[in-house]
Amino acid sequence: MPKTNRPITLRDRLEYISIVTVISIVRVLPFRLRSAFMASVMSRVIAPLAGYSKRVRQNLKLIWPDMPPHQRDVLVREVTRHSGRTLCELFSPQDLKRMAEQTELTGPGLAALEEARAAGRPAIVISGHFGNYDIVRAALIAHGFDVGGLYRQMNNPLFHKFYLENISTIGTPLFERGRSGLGHMVRHLKGGGVLAALIDVRANNGTALPFLGQPALTATSMAELALRYNAVLVPVYGTRMPDAEHFTASLEAPIPLTDPETMTIALNQSLEARVQQTPEQWFWIHNRWKGVPS
């Protein structure tokens, strides 16, 4: 069982049992039906019971207070449906790898990564909980890039080990955020590897930077690493297509290496543009704006 800094709660147990039970049952279905089923179950059952729908609605009210209530209700449903599909994909690693192999890498960031690889220069690819962030990691691995993934302990300690086993199937190495994984991660970068990380998780000791018009505690550590090791820093996104089964993998132009705060603001702005364009594909379930000092 993974280590945790807090006791396991009844909510942790119920959340773990409900999600893992559903995943275990639906694995007997063909992937297409499995994905659609998970979308429906997440939106209709898990999200309301776990409080996810309520949190999505609260976050939408904070960011877009003038949104009509009926439009907000539709978006809550679509956000939770998308989350269900993403959950299904992350826990169907062989299917995700197959989809990634069929996903074309596009955008100016691809050439930048290829140049870095040829020169033995490290690179850091940054995404958010948008679309399916692991599609790009898996697609880069399929294209021969040496990609290591940075992950953090999930809020639910019971669910963490189950999650880690599945994302390891998609590709390794994986580095735990914090002191335990730092040394391995640095060696990977120094060896000219690619590090994949997410920018949109609340960092309790982070800097309050604007995200969607509100201050959000944001880690500047990826920008600091890029500066320290002269790594190419590329925003990347795996966006779900309208058929819900295929993706576009966009690799944007590298962020200029200036200073950590400026670079992190640029990463936030890159993700903002994606969320504003396709809001249903972002993980509004997070408490992204919680804990900012007044």
Side-chain angles (χ1 to χ4, degrees), residues 14-67:
L14 292 175
E15 182 181 62
Y16 171 76
I17 291 171
S18 62
I19 294 177
V20 173
T21 299
V22 171
I23 290 172
S24 299
I25 292 173
V26 302
R27 274 180 170 167
V28 301
L29 298 173
F31 178 74
R32 185 175 183 179
L33 291 177
R34 193 186 322 154
S35 175
F37 180 77
M38 281 299 297
S40 180
V41 169
M42 176 62 79
S43 182
R44 296 173 182 270
V45 181
I46 297 175
L49 290 178
Y52 300 159
S53 297
K54 179 180 179 181
R55 188 176 297 162
V56 172
R57 189 170 283 105
Q58 289 172 338
N59 283 333
L60 289 171
K61 285 183 179 180
L62 174 67
I63 301 305
W64 293 318
D66 297 329
M67 178 180 288

Side-chain angles (χ1 to χ4, degrees), residues 77 115 190 264 288:
R77 183 177 69 249
E115 290 173 7
K190 285 183 174 180
T264 306
R288 185 65 188 94

Side-chain angles (χ1 to χ4, degrees), residues 1-17:
M1 183 178 296
K3 296 179 180 178
T4 178
N5 294 324
R6 64 171 177 81
I8 296 172
T9 65
L10 177 60
R11 179 173 178 171
D12 290 332
R13 297 183 188 280
L14 292 175
E15 182 181 62
Y16 171 76
I17 291 171

Side-chain angles (χ1 to χ4, degrees), residues 150-153 175-182 185 197-199 201 219 221-222:
L150 182 64
Y151 72 92
R152 62 183 293 169
Q153 285 274 351
F175 313 111
E176 183 176 344
R177 186 181 290 272
R179 186 174 301 176
S180 62
L182 180 60
M185 181 179 69
L198 303 177
I199 191 66
V201 176
S221 53
M222 291 300 103

Side-chain angles (χ1 to χ4, degrees), residues 8 63 102 126 132 138 174 194:
I8 296 172
I63 301 305
Q102 299 170 356
I126 299 291
N132 189 321
L174 294 172
V194 180

